[in-house]
Coordinates of all heavy atoms in Angstrom, one line a residue:
L212 N 0.8 -1.2 0.0 CA 0.0 0.0 0.0 C 0.9 1.3 0.0 O 1.9 1.3 0.7 CB -0.8 0.0 1.2 CG -1.7 1.2 1.4 CD1 -2.9 1.2 0.4 CD2 -2.4 1.3 2.8
H213 N 0.6 2.2 -0.8 CA 1.3 3.4 -0.9 C 0.2 4.5 -0.8 O -0.8 4.4 -1.3 CB 2.0 3.5 -2.3 CG 3.1 2.5 -2.4 ND1 4.4 2.7 -2.0 CD2 3.0 1.3 -3.0 CE1 5.0 1.6 -2.3 NE2 4.3 0.7 -2.9
Y214 N 0.6 5.7 -0.1 CA -0.3 6.9 -0.2 C 0.6 8.0 -0.5 O 1.8 8.1 -0.3 CB -1.0 7.0 1.1 CG -0.2 7.4 2.2 CD1 -0.1 8.7 2.7 CD2 0.4 6.4 3.1 CE1 0.7 9.1 3.8 CE2 1.1 6.8 4.3 CZ 1.3 8.0 4.5 OH 2.0 8.4 5.6
L215 N 0.0 9.0 -1.2 CA 0.7 10.1 -1.7 C -0.1 11.3 -1.3 O -1.3 11.4 -1.4 CB 0.7 10.1 -3.3 CG 1.2 8.9 -3.9 CD1 0.8 8.9 -5.4 CD2 2.7 8.7 -3.8
K216 N 0.7 12.3 -0.8 CA 0.1 13.6 -0.5 C 0.4 14.5 -1.7 O 1.5 14.5 -2.2 CB 0.7 14.3 0.7 CG 0.1 13.7 2.0 CD 0.9 14.3 3.2 CE 0.9 15.7 3.3 NZ 1.3 16.2 4.7
I217 N -0.5 15.1 -2.3 CA -0.2 15.9 -3.5 C -0.8 17.3 -3.3 O -1.7 17.5 -2.5 CB -0.9 15.3 -4.8 CG1 -2.4 15.2 -4.7 CG2 -0.2 13.9 -5.1 CD1 -3.1 14.8 -6.0
Q218 N -0.3 18.2 -4.0 CA -0.7 19.6 -4.0 C -0.8 20.1 -2.5 O -1.6 20.7 -2.1 CB -2.1 19.8 -4.7 CG -2.3 21.2 -5.0 CD -3.6 21.4 -5.8 OE1 -4.3 20.4 -6.0 NE2 -3.9 22.6 -6.1
D219 N 0.4 19.8 -1.8 CA 0.5 20.3 -0.4 C 1.0 21.7 -0.4 O 2.3 21.9 -0.6 CB 1.3 19.3 0.3 CG 1.4 19.5 1.8 OD1 0.5 20.2 2.3 OD2 2.3 19.0 2.5
T220 N 0.2 22.8 -0.3 CA 0.6 24.1 -0.4 C 0.1 24.8 0.9 O -0.6 24.2 1.7 CB -0.1 24.8 -1.6 OG1 -1.5 24.9 -1.5 CG2 0.3 24.0 -2.9
A221 N 0.4 26.1 0.9 CA -0.2 26.9 2.1 C -1.7 27.1 1.9 O -2.2 27.3 3.0 CB 0.5 28.2 1.9
D222 N -2.2 26.8 0.8 CA -3.7 27.0 0.7 C -4.5 25.8 0.7 O -5.8 25.9 0.9 CB -3.9 27.7 -0.8 CG -3.2 29.1 -0.9 OD1 -3.3 29.8 0.1 OD2 -2.5 29.2 -1.9
C223 N -3.9 24.7 0.4 CA -4.7 23.4 0.3 C -3.8 22.1 0.4 O -2.6 22.2 0.2 CB -5.7 23.3 -0.8 SG -4.8 23.1 -2.4
T224 N -4.4 21.0 0.9 CA -3.7 19.8 0.7 C -4.7 18.7 0.2 O -5.8 18.6 0.7 CB -3.2 19.2 2.1 OG1 -2.2 20.1 2.6 CG2 -2.6 17.9 2.0
S225 N -4.3 17.9 -0.8 CA -5.1 16.9 -1.4 C -4.4 15.6 -1.1 O -3.1 15.5 -1.2 CB -5.3 17.0 -2.9 OG -6.1 18.2 -3.1
V226 N -5.1 14.5 -0.8 CA -4.5 13.2 -0.5 C -5.1 12.2 -1.4 O -6.3 12.0 -1.5 CB -4.8 12.9 1.0 CG1 -4.1 11.6 1.3 CG2 -4.1 13.9 1.9
V227 N -4.2 11.4 -2.0 CA -4.6 10.3 -2.8 C -3.8 9.0 -2.3 O -2.7 9.1 -2.0 CB -4.2 10.6 -4.4 CG1 -4.4 9.3 -5.2 CG2 -4.8 11.8 -4.9
I228 N -4.5 7.9 -2.2 CA -3.9 6.7 -1.8 C -3.9 5.7 -3.0 O -4.9 5.7 -3.8 CB -4.5 6.0 -0.6 CG1 -5.9 6.3 -0.3 CG2 -3.7 6.0 0.6 CD1 -6.5 5.7 0.9
Q229 N -2.9 4.9 -3.1 CA -2.8 3.9 -4.1 C -2.4 2.6 -3.5 O -1.5 2.5 -2.6 CB -1.7 4.3 -5.1 CG -1.5 3.3 -6.3 CD -0.5 3.8 -7.2 OE1 0.4 4.5 -6.9 NE2 -0.7 3.4 -8.5
N230 N -3.2 1.6 -3.8 CA -3.0 0.2 -3.3 C -2.4 -0.6 -4.4 O -3.1 -0.9 -5.4 CB -4.4 -0.4 -2.8 CG -4.2 -1.7 -2.3 OD1 -3.1 -2.3 -2.2 ND2 -5.3 -2.4 -1.9
K231 N -1.2 -0.9 -4.3 CA -0.6 -1.7 -5.4 C -0.6 -3.2 -5.1 O -0.1 -4.0 -5.8 CB 0.9 -1.3 -5.5 CG 1.1 0.1 -6.0 CD 2.5 0.4 -6.3 CE 2.7 1.8 -6.9 NZ 4.0 2.1 -7.2
S232 N -1.2 -3.6 -4.0 CA -1.2 -5.0 -3.6 C -2.4 -5.7 -4.3 O -3.2 -5.2 -4.9 CB -1.4 -5.2 -2.1 OG -2.6 -4.8 -1.6
S233 N -2.4 -7.0 -4.1 CA -3.5 -7.9 -4.7 C -4.6 -8.1 -3.7 O -5.5 -8.9 -3.9 CB -2.9 -9.2 -5.1 OG -2.4 -10.0 -4.0
S234 N -4.7 -7.3 -2.6 CA -5.6 -7.4 -1.6 C -6.4 -6.2 -1.4 O -5.8 -5.1 -1.6 CB -5.0 -7.8 -0.2 OG -4.2 -8.9 -0.2
T235 N -7.6 -6.2 -1.0 CA -8.5 -5.1 -0.7 C -8.0 -4.7 0.7 O -7.8 -5.6 1.6 CB -9.9 -5.4 -0.7 OG1 -10.3 -5.7 -2.1 CG2 -10.8 -4.3 -0.2
V236 N -7.9 -3.4 1.0 CA -7.5 -3.0 2.3 C -8.5 -2.0 2.9 O -9.2 -1.2 2.2 CB -6.2 -2.3 2.3 CG1 -5.1 -3.3 2.0 CG2 -6.1 -1.1 1.4
A237 N -8.8 -2.1 4.2 CA -9.6 -1.2 5.0 C -8.7 -0.3 5.8 O -7.8 -0.9 6.5 CB -10.6 -1.9 5.8
L238 N -8.8 1.0 5.7 CA -8.0 2.0 6.4 C -8.6 2.9 7.2 O -9.9 3.3 7.0 CB -7.2 2.8 5.3 CG -6.3 2.1 4.3 CD1 -6.0 3.0 3.2 CD2 -5.2 1.4 5.0
N239 N -8.1 3.3 8.4 CA -8.6 4.4 9.2 C -7.8 5.6 8.8 O -6.5 5.5 8.8 CB -8.5 4.2 10.7 CG -9.5 3.2 11.1 OD1 -10.6 3.0 10.6 ND2 -9.2 2.4 12.2
M240 N -8.4 6.7 8.5 CA -7.8 7.9 8.2 C -8.0 8.9 9.3 O -9.2 9.1 9.6 CB -8.3 8.5 6.9 CG -8.3 7.5 5.7 SD -6.7 7.1 5.1 CE -6.1 8.6 4.5
D241 N -6.9 9.5 9.9 CA -7.2 10.5 11.0 C -6.4 11.8 10.7 O -5.2 11.8 10.6 CB -6.6 9.8 12.2 CG -6.9 10.6 13.4 OD1 -7.4 11.8 13.4 OD2 -6.5 10.2 14.5
F242 N -7.2 12.8 10.5 CA -6.7 14.1 10.2 C -6.9 15.0 11.5 O -6.8 16.2 11.4 CB -7.3 14.8 9.0 CG -7.0 14.1 7.7 CD1 -7.8 13.1 7.2 CD2 -5.9 14.5 7.0 CE1 -7.5 12.4 6.1 CE2 -5.6 13.8 5.7 CZ -6.4 12.8 5.3
G243 N -7.2 14.3 12.6 CA -7.6 15.1 13.8 C -6.6 16.0 14.4 O -6.9 16.9 15.2
K244 N -5.3 15.8 14.1 CA -4.3 16.7 14.8 C -4.0 17.9 13.8 O -3.1 18.7 14.1 CB -3.0 15.9 15.0 CG -3.1 14.9 16.1 CD -1.9 14.1 16.3 CE -2.1 13.0 17.4 NZ -0.9 12.2 17.5
S245 N -4.7 17.9 12.6 CA -4.5 19.1 11.8 C -5.0 20.3 12.5 O -5.9 20.3 13.3 CB -5.3 18.9 10.5 OG -4.8 17.7 9.9
R246 N -4.4 21.5 12.1 CA -4.8 22.8 12.7 C -5.5 23.6 11.6 O -5.0 23.7 10.5 CB -3.6 23.5 13.2 CG -3.0 22.9 14.5 CD -2.0 23.8 15.2 NE -1.1 24.4 14.1 CZ 0.3 24.1 14.1 NH1 0.8 23.2 15.0 NH2 1.0 24.7 13.2
N247 N -6.6 24.2 12.0 CA -7.3 25.2 11.1 C -7.6 24.5 9.8 O -7.5 25.2 8.8 CB -6.4 26.6 11.0 CG -7.1 27.6 10.2 OD1 -8.3 27.8 10.3 ND2 -6.4 28.3 9.3
A248 N -8.1 23.3 9.8 CA -8.4 22.6 8.6 C -9.8 22.2 8.5 O -10.5 21.8 9.4 CB -7.5 21.4 8.6
M249 N -10.3 22.5 7.2 CA -11.8 22.0 6.9 C -11.5 20.9 5.8 O -10.6 21.1 4.9 CB -12.6 23.1 6.3 CG -13.0 24.0 7.3 SD -14.1 25.5 6.6 CE -14.8 24.8 5.1
I250 N -12.3 19.8 5.9 CA -12.1 18.7 5.0 C -13.4 18.4 4.2 O -14.5 18.7 4.7 CB -11.6 17.5 5.9 CG1 -11.1 16.3 5.0 CG2 -12.7 17.0 6.9 CD1 -10.4 15.2 5.8
N251 N -13.2 17.7 3.2 CA -14.5 17.3 2.4 C -15.1 16.0 2.8 O -15.7 15.3 2.2 CB -14.0 17.1 0.9 CG -13.1 15.9 0.8 OD1 -12.2 15.7 1.5 ND2 -13.3 15.1 -0.3
H252 N -15.0 15.9 4.2 CA -15.7 14.7 4.8 C -16.5 15.3 6.0 O -16.1 16.4 6.6 CB -14.8 13.7 5.3 CG -14.1 12.8 4.3 ND1 -14.7 11.8 3.7 CD2 -13.0 13.0 3.6 CE1 -13.9 11.3 2.7 NE2 -12.9 12.1 2.6
P253 N -17.5 14.7 6.6 CA -18.2 15.2 7.8 C -17.3 15.2 9.0 O -17.6 15.9 9.9 CB -19.4 14.2 8.0 CG -19.5 13.5 6.7 CD -18.2 13.5 6.0
H254 N -16.3 14.3 9.1 CA -15.4 14.2 10.2 C -14.0 14.2 9.8 O -13.7 13.8 8.6 CB -15.7 12.9 11.0 CG -17.2 12.8 11.3 ND1 -17.7 13.6 12.5 CD2 -18.2 12.1 10.8 CE1 -19.1 13.3 12.5 NE2 -19.3 12.4 11.5
L255 N -13.0 14.6 10.7 CA -11.6 14.5 10.4 C -11.1 13.1 10.6 O -9.9 12.8 10.1 CB -10.9 15.5 11.4 CG -11.0 17.0 11.1 CD1 -10.4 17.7 12.2 CD2 -10.5 17.4 9.8
T256 N -11.8 12.2 11.1 CA -11.5 10.8 11.3 C -12.5 9.9 10.6 O -13.7 10.2 10.9 CB -11.3 10.4 12.8 OG1 -10.3 11.3 13.4 CG2 -10.9 9.0 12.9
F257 N -12.1 9.1 9.7 CA -13.1 8.3 9.0 C -12.3 7.0 8.5 O -11.1 6.8 8.5 CB -13.6 9.0 7.8 CG -12.6 9.5 6.8 CD1 -12.3 8.9 5.7 CD2 -12.1 10.8 7.0 CE1 -11.3 9.3 4.8 CE2 -11.1 11.4 6.1 CZ -10.8 10.6 5.0
S258 N -13.1 6.0 8.0 CA -12.6 4.8 7.5 C -12.9 4.8 6.0 O -14.0 5.3 5.5 CB -13.3 3.6 8.1 OG -12.9 3.6 9.5
T259 N -12.0 4.0 5.3 CA -12.4 3.9 3.8 C -11.8 2.5 3.4 O -10.9 2.0 4.1 CB -11.7 5.0 3.0 OG1 -12.1 4.9 1.6 CG2 -10.2 4.9 3.1
T260 N -12.3 2.0 2.3 CA -11.8 0.7 1.8 C -11.3 1.0 0.4 O -11.9 1.7 -0.4 CB -13.0 -0.3 1.7 OG1 -13.5 -0.5 2.9 CG2 -12.6 -1.6 1.1
L261 N -10.1 0.3 0.1 CA -9.5 0.5 -1.1 C -9.3 -0.9 -1.8 O -8.6 -1.8 -1.3 CB -8.1 1.2 -0.9 CG -7.3 1.6 -2.1 CD1 -8.1 2.6 -2.9 CD2 -6.0 2.3 -1.6
S262 N -9.8 -1.0 -3.0 CA -9.8 -2.3 -3.7 C -8.4 -2.6 -4.2 O -7.5 -1.7 -4.2 CB -10.7 -2.2 -5.1 OG -12.0 -2.0 -4.6
A263 N -8.1 -3.8 -4.5 CA -6.7 -4.2 -4.9 C -6.4 -3.5 -6.2 O -7.3 -3.2 -7.0 CB -6.7 -5.7 -5.2
R264 N -5.1 -3.1 -6.3 CA -4.7 -2.4 -7.4 C -5.5 -1.2 -7.9 O -5.9 -1.1 -9.0 CB -4.4 -3.4 -8.6 CG -3.4 -4.4 -8.2 CD -3.2 -5.4 -9.5 NE -2.2 -6.4 -9.1 CZ -2.5 -7.6 -8.5 NH1 -3.8 -7.8 -8.2 NH2 -1.6 -8.5 -8.2
S265 N -5.8 -0.3 -7.0 CA -6.6 0.8 -7.3 C -6.1 2.1 -6.6 O -5.2 2.0 -5.8 CB -8.0 0.6 -6.9 OG -8.1 0.5 -5.4
T266 N -6.7 3.2 -7.1 CA -6.2 4.5 -6.5 C -7.5 5.3 -6.2 O -8.5 5.1 -6.9 CB -5.4 5.3 -7.6 OG1 -4.3 4.6 -8.1 CG2 -5.0 6.7 -7.2
L267 N -7.4 5.9 -5.0 CA -8.6 6.7 -4.5 C -8.2 8.1 -4.0 O -7.2 8.2 -3.3 CB -9.1 5.9 -3.3 CG -10.3 6.5 -2.6 CD1 -11.6 6.5 -3.5 CD2 -10.6 5.7 -1.3
F268 N -9.0 9.1 -4.5 CA -8.9 10.4 -3.9 C -9.5 10.4 -2.6 O -10.6 10.1 -2.5 CB -9.6 11.4 -4.9 CG -9.6 12.8 -4.3 CD1 -8.5 13.6 -4.4 CD2 -10.7 13.3 -3.6 CE1 -8.6 14.9 -3.9 CE2 -10.7 14.6 -3.1 CZ -9.6 15.3 -3.2
V269 N -8.8 10.6 -1.5 CA -9.3 10.5 -0.2 C -9.8 11.7 0.5 O -10.8 11.7 1.0 CB -8.1 9.8 0.7 CG1 -8.6 9.7 2.1 CG2 -7.8 8.6 0.1
A270 N -8.9 12.8 0.3 CA -9.3 14.0 1.1 C -8.8 15.2 0.4 O -7.7 15.2 -0.2 CB -8.8 13.9 2.6
H271 N -9.5 16.3 0.6 CA -9.1 17.7 0.2 C -9.3 18.6 1.5 O -10.4 18.6 2.0 CB -9.8 18.2 -1.0 CG -9.3 19.4 -1.5 ND1 -8.1 19.6 -2.2 CD2 -9.8 20.7 -1.4 CE1 -7.9 20.9 -2.5 NE2 -8.9 21.5 -2.0
L272 N -8.2 19.1 1.9 CA -8.3 20.1 3.0 C -8.0 21.5 2.7 O -7.0 21.8 1.9 CB -7.4 19.6 4.2 CG -7.8 18.2 4.8 CD1 -6.9 17.1 4.1 CD2 -7.6 18.2 6.3
I273 N -8.7 22.5 3.3 CA -8.4 23.8 3.1 C -8.5 24.6 4.5 O -9.0 24.1 5.4 CB -9.5 24.5 2.2 CG1 -10.8 24.5 2.7 CG2 -9.3 24.0 0.7 CD1 -11.8 25.2 1.9
P274 N -7.9 25.8 4.6 CA -7.9 26.5 5.9 C -9.3 27.0 6.2 O -10.1 27.4 5.3 CB -7.0 27.7 5.6 CG -6.2 27.4 4.4 CD -7.0 26.5 3.6
E275 N -9.7 26.7 7.4 CA -11.0 27.2 7.9 C -11.0 28.7 8.0 O -11.9 29.4 7.6 CB -11.3 26.6 9.3 CG -12.7 26.8 9.8 CD -13.1 26.0 10.9 OE1 -12.3 25.2 11.4 OE2 -14.2 26.2 11.3
N276 N -9.8 29.2 8.4 CA -9.6 30.7 8.6 C -8.3 31.0 7.8 O -7.3 30.7 8.2 CB -9.5 31.1 10.0 CG -9.3 32.7 10.1 OD1 -8.9 33.4 9.2 ND2 -9.7 33.1 11.3
P277 N -8.4 31.7 6.6 CA -7.3 32.0 5.8 C -6.2 32.9 6.4 O -5.1 32.9 6.0 CB -7.8 32.6 4.5 CG -9.2 33.0 4.8 CD -9.6 32.2 6.0
T278 N -6.5 33.5 7.5 CA -5.6 34.4 8.2 C -4.7 33.7 9.3 O -3.9 34.4 9.8 CB -6.3 35.6 8.8 OG1 -7.2 35.3 9.8 CG2 -7.0 36.4 7.7
K279 N -5.1 32.4 9.5 CA -4.4 31.7 10.6 C -3.5 30.6 9.9 O -3.7 30.2 8.9 CB -5.4 31.1 11.6 CG -6.2 32.2 12.4 CD -7.0 31.4 13.5 CE -7.6 32.6 14.4 NZ -8.5 31.9 15.3
D280 N -2.6 30.1 10.8 CA -1.7 29.1 10.3 C -2.5 27.7 10.0 O -3.4 27.4 10.8 CB -0.7 28.7 11.5 CG 0.4 27.8 11.1 OD1 0.8 27.8 9.9 OD2 0.7 26.9 11.9
F281 N -2.2 27.1 8.8 CA -2.9 25.9 8.3 C -1.8 24.8 8.3 O -0.8 25.0 7.7 CB -3.4 26.2 7.0 CG -3.9 25.1 6.2 CD1 -4.9 24.3 6.5 CD2 -3.3 24.7 4.9 CE1 -5.4 23.2 5.8 CE2 -3.7 23.6 4.2 CZ -4.8 22.9 4.6
K282 N -2.1 23.7 9.0 CA -1.2 22.6 9.1 C -2.0 21.3 9.0 O -2.9 21.1 9.8 CB -0.3 22.6 10.3 CG 0.7 21.5 10.3 CD 1.5 21.6 11.5 CE 2.6 20.5 11.5 NZ 3.5 20.4 12.5
V283 N -1.6 20.4 8.0 CA -2.3 19.2 7.9 C -1.4 18.1 8.5 O -0.2 18.0 8.2 CB -2.6 18.8 6.5 CG1 -3.1 17.4 6.3 CG2 -3.7 19.8 5.9
E284 N -2.0 17.2 9.4 CA -1.3 16.0 9.9 C -2.2 14.9 9.7 O -3.4 14.9 10.0 CB -1.0 16.3 11.4 CG 0.0 17.3 11.7 CD 0.5 17.3 13.1 OE1 0.6 16.2 13.7 OE2 0.9 18.4 13.6
M285 N -1.6 13.9 9.2 CA -2.4 12.7 8.8 C -1.8 11.4 9.3 O -0.6 11.2 9.4 CB -2.4 12.5 7.2 CG -3.1 11.4 6.7 SD -3.0 11.2 4.9 CE -1.3 11.2 4.6
D286 N -2.7 10.6 10.0 CA -2.3 9.2 10.4 C -3.1 8.2 9.7 O -4.4 8.3 9.7 CB -2.5 9.2 11.9 CG -2.1 7.8 12.5 OD1 -1.0 7.3 12.1 OD2 -2.7 7.3 13.4
V287 N -2.5 7.2 9.1 CA -3.2 6.2 8.4 C -2.9 4.8 9.1 O -1.7 4.6 9.2 CB -2.8 6.1 6.9 CG1 -3.5 5.0 6.2 CG2 -3.0 7.4 6.2
S288 N -3.9 4.1 9.4 CA -3.8 2.8 10.0 C -4.5 1.7 9.2 O -5.7 1.9 8.8 CB -4.1 2.8 11.5 OG -5.4 3.1 11.7
L289 N -3.8 0.6 9.1 CA -4.4 -0.5 8.3 C -5.4 -1.2 9.3 O -5.0 -1.7 10.4 CB -3.4 -1.4 7.9 CG -3.9 -2.7 7.1 CD1 -4.4 -2.3 5.8 CD2 -2.6 -3.5 6.8
V290 N -6.7 -1.4 8.8 CA -7.6 -2.1 9.6 C -7.6 -3.6 9.3 O -7.5 -4.5 10.2 CB -9.1 -1.6 9.4 CG1 -10.1 -2.4 10.2 CG2 -9.1 -0.2 9.8
N291 N -7.7 -4.0 8.0 CA -7.6 -5.3 7.6 C -7.4 -5.4 6.1 O -7.4 -4.4 5.5 CB -8.8 -6.2 8.0 CG -10.1 -5.7 7.3 OD1 -10.0 -5.2 6.2 ND2 -11.2 -5.9 7.9
T292 N -7.0 -6.7 5.6 CA -6.9 -6.9 4.2 C -7.7 -8.1 3.8 O -8.0 -9.0 4.6 CB -5.4 -7.2 3.8 OG1 -4.9 -8.4 4.6 CG2 -4.5 -6.0 4.2
T293 N -8.2 -8.1 2.7 CA -8.9 -9.2 2.0 C -8.3 -9.6 0.7 O -8.2 -8.8 -0.2 CB -10.5 -8.8 1.8 OG1 -10.9 -8.3 3.1 CG2 -11.2 -10.0 1.4
M294 N -7.9 -10.9 0.6 CA -7.4 -11.3 -0.7 C -8.4 -11.3 -1.7 O -9.5 -11.7 -1.4 CB -6.8 -12.8 -0.5 CG -5.6 -12.8 0.4 SD -4.1 -11.9 -0.1 CE -3.6 -12.8 -1.5
A295 N -7.9 -11.0 -2.9 CA -8.9 -11.0 -4.0 C -9.1 -12.4 -4.5 O -8.2 -13.3 -4.4 CB -8.3 -10.3 -5.2
N296 N -10.4 -12.8 -5.0 CA -10.7 -14.1 -5.5 C -9.9 -14.3 -6.7 O -9.9 -13.5 -7.6 CB -12.2 -14.3 -5.7 CG -12.9 -14.3 -4.4 OD1 -12.4 -14.6 -3.3 ND2 -14.3 -13.9 -4.4
R297 N -9.4 -15.5 -6.9 CA -8.7 -15.8 -8.1 C -9.4 -17.0 -8.8 O -9.4 -18.1 -8.2 CB -7.2 -16.2 -7.8 CG -6.5 -15.0 -7.2 CD -5.1 -15.3 -6.9 NE -4.5 -14.3 -6.2 CZ -3.2 -14.0 -6.2 NH1 -2.5 -14.7 -7.0 NH2 -2.7 -13.0 -5.5
S298 N -9.9 -16.8 -9.9 CA -10.6 -17.8 -10.6 C -9.8 -18.5 -11.7 O -9.1 -17.8 -12.3 CB -11.9 -17.4 -11.2 OG -12.7 -16.7 -10.2

């Protein structure tokens, strides 16, 4: 599993994850330690599933108050993996 932070600027951060394995993975994503950040999810902590050999746009964060310091901190933890069926 690989994850990439892209477009990490003073104005925004976008996060994309890529799963290069042959297993589906379930992940916990935690942006709770970020400062002055609004995210495109209802919560700063959430779970997501990523299919085998796939890429997913996970999050886009912007400053809540553009005049204050904006810092994104991300913690990713693996919940489980599921092997793909091979026919």
Side-chain angles (χ1 to χ4, degrees):
L212 175 71
H213 298 270
Y214 67 93
L215 310 168
K216 281 174 57 170
I217 61 168
Q218 199 174 4
D219 190 15
T220 69
D222 301 315
C223 70
T224 297
S225 295
V226 179
V227 173
I228 23 181
Q229 184 176 29
N230 181 3
K231 293 185 176 185
S232 76
S233 59
S234 302
T235 296
V236 295
L238 303 168
N239 285 332
M240 309 291 297
D241 186 354
F242 295 89
K244 293 181 182 174
S245 299
R246 288 193 315 249
N247 187 36
M249 289 180 28
I250 192 169
N251 65 316
H252 290 274
H254 306 284
L255 289 172
T256 302
F257 57 93
S258 298
T259 189
T260 302
L261 188 58
S262 300
R264 295 182 184 85
S265 66
T266 302
L267 178 67
F268 176 82
V269 176
H271 185 72
L272 297 98
I273 59 173
E275 189 168 358
N276 182 338
T278 63
K279 293 186 177 180
D280 187 38
F281 169 63
K282 183 174 182 182
V283 173
E284 291 191 33
M285 175 180 62
D286 182 39
V287 179
S288 58
L289 182 66
V290 177
N291 65 28
T292 59
T293 306
M294 294 299 293
N296 290 336
R297 297 178 191 209
S298 303

